Structures are given as structure tokens and as C-alpha cells.
Amino acid sequence: MQHHPATPPRILVVDDEAHIVQVVALKFRNAGLEVETAGDGDEALAMVRASRFDLVVTDLQMPTMSGIELARAMAADPRTSDIPVLMLTARGHLLRDGEADSANIARVVHKPFSPRGLLSDVLGLLDAHARGANDHARGADDGREGAAGERAAA
């Protein structure tokens, strides 16, 4: 998705731990990003279906709908399938082989994480996604190479 240069990128931060949502949202807002938050995957899925986001940052383990279930639901829906997902996960909770690819997860970040490092990852994904959208508009391949090429090992 391309966003208008005058409009800051919209990020959805999803985690059932309120303190993580607060710290991440504050860091992103201070960097000029527009941030919405959700406390679980069900709430997040309703939000991405109702309003357009440029990126979703979600925790893996949450009640009612996990981050991987959210990412799979987004990947299966044409309205949300092009939105990159950055997955937060506790050390020791790894994604199975192929799980990130099947759910269009662009990057996996392990907790504990540095808010500054997470912001850097998000800005890199937004930039790669914007470049991919521009390449796609010019007739290049599907535009996913930038984010996929920067995928961190799970």
C-alpha cells in the first residue's frame, strides 16, 4: 500500500500486555507514526478490516486469537493480505518452519526487545513495502521481495 507523503504511516500495535503496547505506541508516535492499539487478535482483525493500516506489529501469544492466527486471517483476506506483519515473540516460542511465510510475516522480533531497535525494524519494513509497491506499480514482480528479503530468522 502506498500512503500519501503528507500522511504518516498507520501502524496497529497488538499485544495483551498493556505496558508493552504503551511503550511501543509512545516510541512510534514520537517518531511521527500514527498508531492504533488492540489488546488481542480478534480486536485487531476487526480493526484491519474496518480501516487501512500500513503495518501490523503483533504479539504471538495472546488470548482468543494468537498473532499467528491474526496474520493467517489477514493473509487470507484480499483486503488485508498486502499489509506487512511484524511478529513479537518471547524467546523459546519459535515459529515452525514455513509458518512465517504462510502467514505473510515480514519479520520476527524476540522479547525482550529494544524499543529503538523495534522502531528501526518497523521503519525498514515500511520503506521496503513502499519500494515494493512502487516497483509493482511500474510492472515489476509482486512487490514482496523487499520485506521477505529482510526477514529475520525465527
Side-chain angles (χ1 to χ4, degrees), residues 33-51:
L33 303 174
E34 183 179 331
V35 181
E36 299 290 329
T37 63
D40 62 49
D42 283 333
E43 181 183 6
L45 186 58
M47 291 174 73
V48 297
R49 286 180 171 162
S51 182

Side-chain angles (χ1 to χ4, degrees), residues 53-64:
F53 289 90
D54 296 295
L55 183 99
V56 173
V57 176
T58 183
D59 187 26
L60 174 64
Q61 293 185 290
M62 296 182 291
T64 69

Side-chain angles (χ1 to χ4, degrees), residues 82-122:
D82 66 326
I83 301 172
V85 175
L86 184 148
M87 183 73 62
L88 302 174
T89 182
R91 291 206 186 276
H93 292 97
L94 301 178
L95 300 177
R96 293 187 299 268
D97 288 342
E99 205 165 29
D101 289 332
S102 69
N104 288 337
I105 297 170
R107 178 145 317 157
V108 176
V109 174
H110 295 280
K111 294 178 182 178
F113 56 84
S114 152
R116 181 182 304 159
L118 183 62
L119 175 61
S120 178
D121 286 340
V122 163

Side-chain angles (χ1 to χ4, degrees), residues 8-9 24-35 115 119-120 122-123:
V24 171
L26 179 63
K27 186 69 174 177
F28 291 177
R29 286 182 182 122
N30 286 344
L33 303 174
E34 183 179 331
V35 181
L119 175 61
S120 178
V122 163
L123 294 176

Side-chain angles (χ1 to χ4, degrees), residues 134-146:
N134 289 336
D135 290 345
H136 185 67
R138 287 191 298 263
D141 59 14
D142 74 357
R144 294 184 187 271
E145 185 176 323

